Amino acid sequence: MLKGKTVVLGVTGGIAAYKAAEITSRFVKLGADVKVIMTEHAQEFVGPLTFQAISNNPVVTDMFAPPTRWDVEHIALAKAANLFVIAPATASVMGKINAGIADDMLTTTVMATKAPVLIAPAMNVNMYESAVNQRNMVALKELGYHFVEPGEGFLACGDLGKGRLEDPEKIVNRAVEILLATDELKGKKVLVTAGPTREAIDPVRYLTNHSSGKMGYAIAREARLRGADVVLVSGVRDLAAAEGVKVIEIDSANDMYEAVMANIDADIIVKAAAVADYRPAAPSDIKIKKMPGDMTIPLTRNKDILFELGMIKTHQYLVGFAAETNDVIENAKQKMVKKNLDLIVANDVTAEGAGFKSNTNVVTILRKNGEEKALALMSKEEVASEILDTIIEDMNA
Ligand code: PMT
């Protein structure tokens, strides 16, 4: 994903410095070339050798050390960077950057770079909340620096509050969003649905399915990376949407229908959600009590949201998913025609590594014009990218 990209990672002196090793490793696994700069204080917490071994690159620690190559090293690093990440960032380093102080390798390189800079602060809660630190962060945001805010919890100093370095995974995800951003879908509105619906039986029970929302969230993220205004109608609560994606949380298919119809002005609609076809006909207002013998719950049909969209669509490019266990391609083709779609993603949910919950998927993309693109096993992010590539190709044609 990050092949050909150079990430310069600045590590400053805080207890969270050890977590920068995982950040380095995640970038390397995504194919990035990672150059680490450590401040003097960072080296009190972790040794440069750790980062050298993980990044496979020399680690820069001293402004005046003999350079590993003959060039002005802070300028060369500043130019090489596609993205500059500072994680963990202390209050001190943010203060210096905001004040224009460049007195070590990290701060001089940050000042010399034209690459976007992503800052992940970590410090004691009182330092984080101090007026000076808040003023510096506001000023840096206004100057265009990107931030991954710290998390809340128990801090190394024993205090409880905000200041814990955000999870390395989230920091790297945000970095990827910044690195891969394009404007292919700038000015377009993309509506995505994700996850299951929940159909109430009574206030404590419901009917649902195994959808985790991962596929839909990956599509929303990919559309956002390409510059679209993205609205994500979500039946899950436990996934983080990409920065800038507007999330509408829903429970039932009826909720989803309302949310989708309120956003019918979208240019592209992708229905990755697994919507319940039926709901309990008369959900109880109070908890249903156990009774002797069996129980039957009458079900009534939910609206087929995608079918209705197909009936009323004007300018929208309409994409459906077909979760199938048999005759996958044939069934998907029938759904594409019946629901008047421009594209359908046939999802054989019985294939190894495909379908519900997994991080990977195996799909075939079917176009209205009859073209088929069978994709090998790949991550849901890669599937999302292939789907968006196909949509954009069609819309540009
Ligand atoms: O969420 P994950 O764990 O990542 O899993 C991904 C997934 C398997 C859920 C996803 O890739 C997928 O296949 N989604 C569609 C699942 C499904 O319900 O398919 P379907 O064949 O029942 O429906 C066909 C299409 O009509 C779908 O686009 C569905 O959103 C839509 N539909 C279905 C019923 C209904 N009442 N309204 C609808 O809009």
Side-chain angles (χ1 to χ4, degrees), residues 49-72:
L49 192 58
T50 302
F51 294 101
Q52 191 173 312
I54 300 173
S55 69
N56 246 320
N57 275 319
V59 172
V60 183
T61 52
D62 181 355
M63 187 87 194
F64 300 104
T68 48
R69 282 186 330 197
W70 189 244
D71 48 24
V72 183

Side-chain angles (χ1 to χ4, degrees), residues 2 6 19 24 31 41-42 51 56 70 82 98 103 107 151 154 179 196 200 207 235 264 276 309 362 380:
L2 297 184
T6 298
K19 292 188 185 167
T24 309
H41 289 161
F51 294 101
N56 246 320
W70 189 244
N82 295 105
N98 186 40
D103 64 350
T107 46
F154 274 108
L179 273 166
L207 299 177
I264 189 77
L309 287 171
V362 186
K380 284 184 174 165

Side-chain angles (χ1 to χ4, degrees), residues 215-232:
M215 191 64 247
Y217 272 65
I219 293 167
R221 178 170 185 249
E222 190 62 32
R224 184 68 197 137
L225 285 180
R226 295 171 192 235
D229 291 325
V230 183
V231 177
L232 176 61

